[in-house]
Amino acid sequence: MRDTASVRGHLPDENPGFVGRRTELERVSAALAEHRLVTVTGVGGVGKTRLALRAAHRAAERYPDGAWWTDLGQLDGERLLVALVADSVDLADHTPGMAATGLCRRLADDRLLLVLDSCEHLAEPCARLVAELLAAAPGLTVLATSRRPLGVAGEETIALDPLPPAGPDALALLRRAAGEDFPAAGPAGEICVRLEGIPLALELAAAQIRLQGAEAVRDQLGSRLDAAPGARFDLLAHTERVWPSRHQTLRAAIGWSHELSTPLERLLWARLSVFRGPFDLASATAVCTGGPLDRATLPEALDGLVRASVVRPPDAAGRHRMLDTIREYGATWLDRTGEAGTVADRHAAHFRGLAGRAETEWHGARQLRWYRTVDAHHTDLRTALDRLLRTDPDAALDLVGSVAFAWSCRGRLREARDGLEQALLLSEARGRVRARALWALGVTLVLQGEFGPAQDVSERCAREARHAEYAEPAGSGSGAGAETGAGTETGAGPGSGRDRPGDLTLDAAALAGLLALTTGRPTAAHVVVGHVLDAARGGPADSAARLRCHLVRVFALTGLGRLAEAREKALRLRALCEELDEHWTRTALEYQLALTGLLEDDPVAASGHARAMLEGTRRLGASLGVALGLDVLATALAAAGEGERAADVSGTGEAYWRSTGQPRRGLPGLRALHEKYTDTVRASIGEPAYEEIFVRALTGLPQDGLDRALRGPGRHG
C-alpha cells in the first residue's frame, strides 16, 4: 500500500535523462489504444525501460484502475513471479489456492495497465501468466519489455532500435549525461557514431568524458572499435540471451568501462553483481570486502564506479543499484574469478544476520525502523533465502522464520508461506528455530483463512515448543537459531524457570488463541492464553511473545462480553506499547478498543480508536489492517447516524478488501454490528443515495478515501 498517489496505481519516477523517441513513443501509445498486449523489444541498453515508463506515464489517465509497474529483473527464477506481480498491483493476497487465481480475481473487473519490465529471462512463464491474466481480466492491458517477443496470441511487438547515431537525439543524450554542451561537429559527434546511438553506451562514454574529456574518449573508442573483434574486450563467453551477436558495440563499451576501472573497482563491480535489489554502503561492505578490498578501500572504489556510471548514485535513502546489463557483465567476471559461490554465501549470511537483527528489534523502539528495513531489502532477503534453501536449509529456516511475520504484516503472505513451507520441508533443525517458523506459518495460514491447515500447524508448533523448552538440555540451542544467538530466553534450565513456559510456548499459545478467535471461540482463546500467562514469569513488556498473549486475552475478553475488563486491560497495554514505542500491538489494541466502544454503545469513542488504528496500519503498509479499520470506522459512523460518511468509508473499505483478494471479513462480533447499523443508515438516507456514495468511494482513489476517513475528531482516550 503506497502512502500517496496523484492517480491510482504506481509507476516509478521518470528518468530526467529521457531524450527523443517521439516517433517510438507515438507508436507505443497508439498500440496501447488498439492492443491488449504490447511488447517493446530490443537489445540490452537500448532504452526499452525508459520508453515503456514514459509511455505508461503518458497513458495512465486512460486507465481508471491505474498503471502499475513490475520490475522482473530482480527475479532469478519463476517461483515468485506471480507473488511479485501481485505485490506490484498492491494485492496483499490473503486467500488460499493457486497463486495466479487470486491475481486473476483481483484484476477481473478492473481497467488497468500492467507494465512488466525485463521479461527476457522469464519469457515462457511470463507468457503463460500474461495469457491467463488477459483471459480472466477483459479490462487489462499489458505493456512488456523484453529482448524478444513473449509469443502470446494477439501480441503487438514494437522493435526499438538505437538512436540515430548521427542525429540530434544521440548528441542531446550525450550532452545531458556529460553535462557539457558539445558542438555537433567534433569528438562528441564521432563518439555517438562509434557507439551506434546506443543509450547505455553513450551514458558510459559520458561518464568518461567528465573524467578525461571528449577527445581522449573518442581516441580510445576509435582504437578499440576499429580493432579486430578479438581485441574489442571480447574476453568473456556470454550466452546469446545476454549478449546477442548484433550487440557487440554495447559489449565493447561496457568492456571499455571495465578496463578503465581500477583493479579494486573491477573487483567490486564483480562482487556487487550478487545484489539483485538496491544496496547501501553497509551491505556492500559486509558482502564485498575481502583481500585488497577492505573497509578502508571499498568506499573509494564504490565512488569510482558511481563516477563511471557503472553504479547509480545513491537515492534519498542512500541506496545504490546497477542496471541489469551491467550487473550481468559483472556476474560473468565474478564467475571467472572463482568467487561466485563465496560471495553468494557472504550475501546470504549478511541478509540472514539482518533478518535476525530485525526479529530481535521487533519488540521495542526500533520496531518500525526494522520493519521498513526488511521491506526495503525484500528482494535481497528473498535472494538470500533461495541461496540458503539450496546450500544450508537450516540457515534458510532461521532466515525465513525471522522475517516471515513482517512479510505477512506487509501482505506478502504467499512468499512467507512458500518460504516457510520449503524450509520446514528441507531443514532437519529442531527446537527454537523450527518452533518459531511453525508459529509464523500458523499466523500466515490464519490470515489466509485456511483454518484447517492452521490448526495442524498450531498443534505442531506447541509440540515443538515443548520439545525446545523442556526436552533439550538446559542452555542448549538447536539448528540455525543457536548459531546466530537470536531470540529470547526459553524458560529452560535449573533455577531459571525450566518448569515454566518460555517465549516459544507463549507464542504457540498466542497462535492457538488467534485461531480460536477467528473461528468464533473466545472461551477457548481465553483459556489457552490464560493458562500459559498464569504459569509464566514476567510481564507483558518482557517479550514480544508475552505481549502477543496479552493481546489475544484482551480480544477474548471482548468476545466473552467482559467489556469493562477488556477495555481496562487494553488501555494499560496501549500505554505500555507507547512507552516501548511498539507499533503493531498498539494498532491491534486500537482496533479492540474501537470494537469495545461499539459494543458499549459509544460510537464517538469507537470512531476515535478506529482512526488511531488506521493511522498505525497506514504506517505499517498493511492493507488488511486498513480494511479492518475502515470497517469498524464505518460501523461507528453508522451507529452515530452519520449515514453519508458511513457509506463513503464503507465504499473505501470495500476497495481495500478487494486489494487483499478476499471478501470482507473480520471478527464475528464486528460483522454482526456492521450489518445491523449499515441496514439502519441505508434506510435513513435511502438506498439510492447510499449506493451512489458507496460506489463513488469504491471506484475512486483508495488513498483519497482513506484520507477522508482519517479526517474527523481526534483519537479517543
Side-chain angles (χ1 to χ4, degrees):
M1 183 185 67
R2 278 91 190 174
D3 286 347
T4 58
S6 57
V7 295
R8 190 191 296 265
H10 172 71
L11 295 172
D13 293 335
E14 289 193 72
N15 189 316
F18 189 90
V19 171
R21 299 297 195 191
R22 289 178 292 275
T23 300
E24 295 90 338
L25 186 60
E26 292 298 333
R27 287 182 61 201
V28 175
S29 298
L32 289 173
E34 296 290 333
H35 302 276
R36 297 184 61 209
L37 171 59
V38 178
T39 303
V40 179
T41 63
V43 296
V46 80
K48 300 184 295 296
T49 296
R50 290 185 185 183
L51 178 64
L53 183 57
R54 172 60 63 93
H57 274 285
R58 193 181 193 188
E61 292 184 355
R62 300 208 306 260
Y63 298 92
D65 295 297
W68 306 83
W69 185 270
T70 309
D71 176 12
L72 300 180
Q74 59 189 280
L75 293 181
D76 197 24
E78 66 177 286
R79 184 169 58 84
L80 295 173
L81 171 62
V82 176
L84 180 62
V85 175
D87 187 57
S88 73
V89 296
D90 275 356
L91 173 57
D93 191 0
H94 292 68
T95 58
M98 294 298 292
T101 303
L103 184 56
C104 288
R105 189 183 303 116
R106 157 72 172 85
L107 303 179
D109 299 322
D110 287 351
R111 287 177 54 202
L112 60 78
L113 175 65
L114 174 62
V115 187
L116 301 177
D117 185 42
S118 302
C119 296
E120 53 274 346
H121 64 303
L122 298 171
E124 292 184 5
C126 279
R128 291 194 297 269
L129 177 61
V130 167
E132 188 172 354
L133 293 177
L134 291 174
L140 172 66
T141 299
V142 177
L143 173 60
T145 72
S146 179
R147 295 177 191 173
R148 59 188 177 93
L150 298 183
V152 176
E155 178 181 28
E156 177 71 6
T157 301
I158 296 177
L160 186 63
D161 294 322
L163 297 167
D169 290 342
L171 184 62
L173 176 59
L174 189 67
R175 285 169 171 166
R176 179 170 295 182
E180 190 171 341
D181 189 14
F182 305 111
E190 295 178 46
I191 291 170
C192 293
V193 171
R194 289 186 177 279
L195 293 179
E196 300 178 12
I198 300 171
L200 179 54
L202 293 173
E203 287 190 350
L204 293 172
Q208 293 301 325
I209 288 173
R210 293 194 298 268
L211 298 173
Q212 305 182 60
E215 289 188 10
V217 169
R218 176 200 59 190
D219 294 342
Q220 290 176 25
L221 287 174
S223 65
R224 289 300 180 182
L225 296 177
D226 292 339
R232 298 182 188 176
F233 308 95
D234 194 9
L235 304 175
L236 305 177
H238 296 278
T239 66
E240 180 67 16
R241 178 180 66 78
V242 176
W243 298 107
S245 58
R246 62 184 181 280
H247 204 1
Q248 296 303 311
T249 297
L250 177 59
R251 181 176 173 180
I254 295 177
W256 169 65
S257 294
H258 189 262
E259 183 181 84
L260 292 175
S261 300
T262 67
L264 287 183
E265 290 169 355
R266 290 197 291 269
L267 181 59
L268 180 59
W269 182 344
R271 291 176 177 175
L272 286 173
S273 67
V274 298
F275 289 96
R276 299 199 71 88
F279 56 88
D280 53 26
L281 177 60
S283 293
T285 301
V287 173
C288 299
T289 52
L293 196 61
D294 56 27
R295 291 182 175 274
T297 57
L298 187 143
E300 183 179 351
L302 181 59
D303 288 343
L305 293 177
V306 171
R307 288 193 298 270
S309 291
V310 170
V311 171
R312 295 303 190 195
D315 61 16
R319 292 172 298 183
H320 300 269
R321 68 177 306 146
M322 300 175 87
L323 293 180
D324 288 344
T325 306
I326 292 175
R327 182 176 56 79
E328 289 165 354
Y329 188 92
T332 308
W333 275 100
L334 184 64
D335 187 61
R336 285 175 58 87
T337 66
E339 288 191 336
T342 300
V343 178
D345 287 340
R346 284 209 300 264
H347 175 274
H350 169 69
F351 283 100
R352 179 189 170 197
L354 183 145
R357 292 195 298 277
E359 183 197 20
T360 301
E361 298 284 355
W362 181 264
H363 185 63
R366 296 187 178 183
Q367 182 186 86
L368 192 58
R369 172 194 165 190
W370 277 100
Y371 178 83
R372 290 172 175 168
T373 297
V374 167
D375 196 44
H377 290 289
H378 178 67
T379 298
D380 280 291
L381 283 165
R382 200 169 53 198
T383 300
L385 175 60
D386 287 343
R387 173 72 179 177
L388 292 173
L389 285 170
R390 295 190 300 269
T391 62
D392 189 348
D394 290 354
L397 188 65
D398 182 49
L399 186 155
V400 71
S402 297
V403 298
F405 184 65
W407 284 0
S408 293
C409 291
R410 185 64 175 80
R412 295 188 169 105
L413 293 181
R414 294 199 186 282
E415 293 176 74
R417 179 177 178 178
D418 178 76
L420 287 163
E421 289 181 336
Q422 283 202 72
L424 284 164
L425 180 64
L426 295 172
S427 171
E428 297 181 356
R430 296 294 309 275
R432 176 188 178 275
V433 67
R434 180 165 290 269
R436 182 189 54 181
L438 287 166
W439 166 75
L441 178 58
V443 172
T444 301
L445 291 169
V446 170
L447 292 175
Q448 286 188 314
E450 292 221 57
F451 301 129
Q455 181 65 45
D456 174 66
V457 170
S458 176
E459 293 169 1
R460 291 166 57 197
C461 179
R463 289 195 298 270
E464 195 65 36
R466 287 195 298 271
H467 169 79
E469 294 184 349
Y470 300 109
E472 290 182 353
S476 73
S478 69
E483 296 172 16
T484 61
T488 57
E489 59 86 19
T490 64
S496 65
R498 185 175 177 80
D499 57 334
R500 297 178 181 274
D503 282 352
L504 298 178
T505 298
L506 285 159
D507 259 337
L511 171 58
L514 174 64
L515 181 57
L517 287 172
T518 52
T519 52
R521 297 177 291 123
T523 299
H526 188 263
V527 169
V528 70
V529 298
H531 175 73
V532 295
L533 284 175
D534 290 344
R537 287 177 173 170
D542 289 346
S543 71
R546 282 168 169 75
L547 193 56
R548 285 188 280 261
C549 273
H550 281 276
L551 175 66
V552 170
R553 184 157 67 177
V554 165
F555 274 96
L557 289 170
T558 306
L560 291 170
R562 296 161 59 175
L563 302 181
E565 186 180 357
R567 178 167 28 82
E568 185 269 333
K569 289 183 180 297
L571 289 172
R572 278 197 317 219
L573 279 181
R574 190 186 68 174
L576 178 62
C577 289
E578 288 172 349
E579 289 179 21
L580 294 170
D581 198 21
E582 201 277 355
H583 293 261
W584 183 83
T585 305
R586 190 191 325 177
T587 296
L589 286 165
E590 296 290 4
Y591 177 77
Q592 183 275 336
L593 287 164
L595 180 58
T596 301
L598 284 171
L599 294 169
E600 292 182 323
D601 198 24
D602 188 351
V604 174
S607 296
H609 289 303
R611 289 191 178 92
M613 179 210 177
L614 287 169
E615 290 170 356
T617 53
R618 181 164 64 171
R619 280 193 297 271
L620 292 170
S623 293
L624 178 61
V626 171
L628 288 165
L630 288 167
D631 273 2
V632 73
L633 178 59
T635 305
L637 292 170
E642 299 185 52
E644 293 182 355
R645 295 188 67 202
D648 181 58
V649 173
S650 190
T652 302
E654 177 64 23
Y656 276 97
W657 275 114
R658 292 187 180 184
S659 79
T660 70
Q662 65 179 17
R664 260 189 165 103
R665 66 177 174 87
L667 293 177
L670 178 61
R671 290 199 298 270
L673 289 170
H674 184 76
E675 292 173 5
K676 170 188 172 182
Y677 289 119
T678 298
D679 288 345
T680 300
V681 296
R682 279 179 181 271
S684 67
I685 69 173
E687 185 73 22
Y690 185 96
E691 282 300 314
E692 179 184 354
I693 297 170
F694 181 93
V695 172
R696 186 166 60 241
L698 171 62
T699 57
L701 295 176
Q703 180 60 43
D704 288 350
L706 180 57
D707 288 341
R708 291 193 303 273
L710 285 169
R711 289 196 290 269
R715 72 179 64 185
H716 184 81

